[in-house]
Amino acid sequence: MSLYCRNFSNLIAKRCFASSSKIPDLTKDRYPIQRGQYAELSDKDYAQFESILDKNRVLTGSDTQGHNIDWLRSVRGYSNVVLKPKTTEEVSEILKYCNSRKLAVCPQGGNTGLVGGSVPVFDEVVISLNSMNKIEYIDEYSGIVTCQAGAILENLESKVQEKGLCVPLDLGAKGSCHIGGNVSTNAGGLRLIRYGNLHGSVTGVEAVTATGQIMNLMSNFKKDNTGYHLKHLFIGSEGSLGIITRLSIQCPTASKAVNVSFLGLNSYDDVMNTFLMAKKELGEILSSVEMIDEVSLNCSNKVFNGQSPIDVFPFYMLIETSGSNQAHDEEKLNEFLRKAMESSLVIDGVTTNEPGKMRNIWLMRERIADSLINIEGYCFKYDISLPLTHFYEIVPATKERVGDLASFVCGYGHIGDSNLHLNVACKNFNQEIYKAIEPFVFEYTSKLKGSISAEHGIGFHKTKYLKYSKTPEAIAFMKQIKELMDPNGILNPYKVLPL
Ligand code: FAD
Ligand code: MLT
Ligand code: ZN
């Protein structure tokens, strides 16, 4: 079999946004929030931006609309300016100026974020990284790749594949999200069980602080113990401490042998025990373990005309192996499946190494998010870490709590990383259902000592719930770090930290 690394064009994020006719309420009208004491844009400011960038990289009026609404259509700002720098120096000039004027800014990558962090809340200046998309250098010996932050994940994947490598991160939004956005959110995704999170893979970042200072923390080495590991402050801080402009990331060798199994199971307990068995039997070749409930799969297949390769079950699992020897991997996978079926954990399933068939199975999974926001009109999304012994209980508990207010409640996610995506679909956003779900979901998660954000971040939507996952001392320390790095509070205000 030829060198294969999963890479199929995925226009999920772009397509959905373009087809949407629903424009959400302005954030300031939907949520009780007051604009901070920031300056308002004047003609002088537009002129200054045009002197830093060319005129055509200063978007105003209707050109800003897509940058004001998030992918979920859950929040909407009313910024009248989007700046599109091409270099780190331009980002630095912009931030120096905004800081001196006390103009608030909102850094934006591919705008696929799911927590309302990527768009302005009021009239913040949007700094879009779209034009900073150069892939600068691929070192095929070390696997370290250097690029600008605005490189689209899927483009980066294609480039590194040419050198026999793969990006250690994969997610359904790959056709639109930026690697810089991924690093800023510490995105998890579908390969985390194999390669770990971005705190481990990103070897260096270059970031511009709120005052315009360029922090060169680039490194071409995995091993670099020279003082405080400052790069970690920018990884996962969602644009609240600086704008990432460049980064280096360690890309592993692409696997020669990939197999995908899609399994049907009768209960959540069977899912949990199948995962345990998969870890024991498949060991180092295990590269993804996903769980999907019946409602989630139905929704994906209904909206996208997908076809499940097996019959209907209450639960499904998608298990992927990636290794270097097809015969060896198949032998292990077959042995695992034999044991799982003999012990009646798995009732039915298919296994394939054909790229087209693997792609179709992955698409059923990756399209769930998109199908959920299109099927009814609105979707409340929760992205939580929970102990596996209680992982799925919150789905029926939420269903019972919301009753008829919701069209349906479903759960799926990265069970291999204890990360559940709980979703509540309804016709439109309304206060009654919102109050029924929040803070219920976060209280429930906290009681189980889970995390209220496994991978999507805090953004705008979860700031007041941070306390369910962090102590008062930790939040106070975060606020001190924010004040030190952004004394005027201009970077992505109203996000991450509670007000
Ligand atoms: P944006 O959405 O533009 O921004 C996200 C946050 O990062 C914002 O706070 C923004 O201010 C900040 N930011 C962006 N770029 C920079 C920068 N260069 N410097 C500083 N701050 C910046 N997420 C997962 O973790 N796992 C998944 O499996 C997953 N699957 C998804 C599937 C779909 C279909 C969709 C729509 C989203 C999915 N997401 C997933 C969420 C989202 O794609 C990720 O959070 C992604 O990392 C966001 O990247 P982005 O470039 O779109 O950033
Ligand atoms: C996923 O795993 O599909 C994403 O994180 C998006 C979602 O939560 O729906
Ligand atoms: Zn996810």
Side-chain angles (χ1 to χ4, degrees), residues 200-402:
S201 319
V202 171
T203 57
V205 300
E206 176 189 80
V208 183
T209 66
T211 55
Q213 202 180 353
I214 299 174
M215 295 287 276
N216 185 339
L217 306 168
M218 295 293 278
S219 171
N220 289 336
F221 300 98
K222 223 173 174 180
K223 300 187 78 170
D224 178 9
N225 273 351
T226 48
Y228 302 146
H229 290 211
L230 296 177
K231 71 177 178 197
H232 294 298
L233 284 173
F234 298 99
I235 302 173
S237 55
E238 303 177 61
S240 65
L241 298 180
I243 298 193
I244 299 179
T245 46
R246 291 170 66 231
L247 59 102
S248 45
I249 182 165
Q250 169 118 50
C251 292
T253 304
S255 301
K256 284 191 229 160
V258 179
N259 296 285
V260 169
S261 291
F262 190 71
L263 312 174
L265 305 92
N266 275 335
S267 70
Y268 171 71
D269 274 1
D270 291 345
V271 171
M272 188 171 64
N273 287 314
T274 302
F275 171 46
L276 189 61
M277 189 183 272
K279 281 201 287 187
K280 285 182 184 158
E281 295 293 326
L282 299 171
E284 77 292 347
I285 63 169
L286 195 59
S287 55
S288 271
V289 186
E290 297 288 315
M291 183 222 74
I292 309 170
D293 71 7
E294 185 183 339
V295 177
S296 308
L297 191 76
N298 275 350
C299 188
S300 170
N301 284 343
K302 190 170 167 190
V303 172
F304 291 103
N305 292 320
Q307 181 70 52
S308 171
I310 60 175
D311 213 344
V312 177
F313 287 91
F315 293 92
Y316 304 91
M317 287 179 86
L318 192 165
I319 295 185
E320 184 191 76
T321 64
S322 304
S324 56
N325 185 317
Q326 188 62 30
H328 162 269
D329 293 2
E330 257 174 37
E331 195 183 319
K332 277 179 114 164
L333 188 56
N334 288 338
E335 180 61 5
F336 154 66
L337 291 171
R338 189 187 62 74
K339 284 190 178 161
M341 291 184 95
E342 253 178 36
S343 51
S344 300
L345 289 174
V346 169
I347 308 302
D348 195 6
V350 292
T351 292
T352 178
N353 62 8
E354 283 178 42
K357 289 188 178 156
M358 290 196 288
R359 180 192 317 145
N360 287 339
I361 291 174
W362 268 113
L363 276 176
M364 289 193 304
R365 162 64 185 90
E366 293 186 22
R367 283 173 165 165
I368 297 172
D370 203 351
S371 65
L372 287 170
I373 68 160
N374 281 295
I375 199 154
E376 285 295 303
Y378 195 83
C379 186
F380 289 90
K381 294 186 78 66
Y382 300 94
D383 156 51
I384 49 192
S385 284
L386 290 169
L388 290 181
T389 42
H390 296 278
F391 191 69
Y392 193 75
E393 287 164 10
I394 194 169
V395 178
T398 305
K399 197 172 170 181
E400 194 185 323
R401 179 155 175 101
V402 296

Side-chain angles (χ1 to χ4, degrees), residues 385-387 390-391 393-394 443-451:
S385 284
L386 290 169
H390 296 278
F391 191 69
E393 287 164 10
I394 194 169
E443 280 168 358
Y444 198 108
T445 303
S446 173
K447 274 190 201 130
L448 290 168
K449 303 206 182 331
S451 168

